Amino acid sequence: MPPVRGTSGTQRLPNNEVVSEKHAVECLRCGTFRTIERERTARLDPGECAKCGYLGWALVADLSEPVRRTLRERPPERRGRRLHAV
């Protein structure tokens, strides 16, 4: 069944129960983009980046260009730690 207009990739059953959602994610090490699909109740787990092997991902919509630049400049061993706004 095609997505319902305005649901941006969300598939719906006839009773409007959400089955799965698509999310655009970006690797926090190399910047590779990927679209993943998950069930509504499942944890978002993109797994390992096919390009660099890194496990850190963020939703593309959550990253601004200044945040991307800050992440690229951080050493990989510190990227798993939270960034704190100053």
Side-chain angles (χ1 to χ4, degrees), residues 2 4 15 17-18 26 30-32 37 39-40 43-44 46 48 50 56 59 62-63 66-67 69 71-72 75-76:
V4 175
N15 66 0
E17 180 181 334
V18 175
E26 182 176 334
C30 69
T32 297
E37 195 169 332
E39 290 186 28
R40 181 184 58 173
R43 189 174 140 237
L44 189 64
E48 187 175 287
L59 294 172
D62 291 346
L63 296 175
V67 170
R69 186 173 33 258
L71 288 167
R72 283 192 302 266

Side-chain angles (χ1 to χ4, degrees), residues 2-75:
V4 175
R5 184 179 171 149
T7 60
S8 60
T10 302
Q11 298 176 354
R12 296 189 179 274
L13 294 175
N15 66 0
N16 291 335
E17 180 181 334
V18 175
V19 174
S20 63
E21 300 172 335
K22 290 185 179 183
H23 299 276
V25 294
E26 182 176 334
C27 176
L28 296 177
R29 175 180 274 172
C30 69
T32 297
F33 292 96
R34 188 165 128 195
T35 301
I36 60 168
E37 195 169 332
R38 73 172 176 113
E39 290 186 28
R40 181 184 58 173
T41 57
R43 189 174 140 237
L44 189 64
D45 184 13
E48 187 175 287
C49 177
K51 183 175 179 182
C52 71
Y54 196 63
L55 293 172
W57 297 88
L59 294 172
V60 170
D62 291 346
L63 296 175
S64 64
E65 195 49 45
V67 170
R68 284 183 177 95
R69 186 173 33 258
T70 301
L71 288 167
R72 283 192 302 266
E73 293 169 356
R74 291 175 64 132

